[in-house]
Amino acid sequence: QALVQGRAVELSPPPVSRVVVVVVMMAAGAEAPDSWYLALLGFAEHFRTSSPPKIRLCVHCLQAVFQFKPPQRVEARTHLQLGSVLYHHTKNSELARTHLEKAVRARRKARGVSRATRP
């Protein structure tokens, strides 16, 4: 649970609106393998920059990325974005820190995998 704009908001599990689900499912069927990620990222950015910002919906979109079991680099980037949003827009610094730490671990793991697979 986090405080968003002075209100307690439950952050998991994320209920994603039907529109987001439909668009993401359409993107998942597209030719580009990361199109679902770009769709969720676009929604998250839209909600974050709305006036007033809809931080709860932004966080839900970013959390939805993990449902797709993304590659390590995408997982690391998403944890970084989640940690940043939570740090700047909520009072739950522990959850923000957790996501930032997960971002560092995932990035290190991804770098280790990419170095091991190089010829």
Side-chain angles (χ1 to χ4, degrees), residues 15-17 43-44 47-48 54-62:
V16 181
S17 74
F43 276 116
F47 291 133
R48 187 186 68 80
K54 297 178 176 113
I55 300 305
R56 186 174 130 270
L57 294 175
C58 172
V59 168
H60 288 260
C61 287
L62 292 172

Side-chain angles (χ1 to χ4, degrees), residues 9-112:
V9 177
E10 186 65 37
L11 295 178
S12 73
V16 181
S17 74
R18 290 181 186 178
V19 173
V20 172
V21 170
V22 169
V23 170
V24 171
M25 294 303 288
M26 289 171 55
E31 291 181 25
D34 291 342
S35 57
W36 55 267
Y37 172 67
L38 295 175
L40 285 169
L41 193 61
F43 276 116
E45 183 65 9
H46 168 75
F47 291 133
R48 187 186 68 80
T49 59
S50 295
S51 184
K54 297 178 176 113
I55 300 305
R56 186 174 130 270
L57 294 175
C58 172
V59 168
H60 288 260
C61 287
L62 292 172
Q63 287 176 328
V65 169
F66 301 120
Q67 303 301 314
F68 287 87
K69 307 288 188 245
Q72 286 291 319
R73 64 179 180 78
V74 172
E75 181 181 339
R77 177 71 178 158
T78 305
H79 278 300
L80 178 63
Q81 291 166 318
L82 258 171
S84 178
V85 166
L86 291 169
Y87 178 79
H88 291 291
H89 297 283
T90 72
K91 294 182 180 179
N92 193 337
S93 59
E94 281 303 309
L95 187 57
R97 181 185 179 110
T98 299
H99 280 288
L100 294 172
E101 289 171 349
K102 286 181 179 182
V104 170
R105 280 194 304 271
R107 182 63 183 143
R108 285 182 180 155
K109 190 174 179 182
R111 283 181 128 180

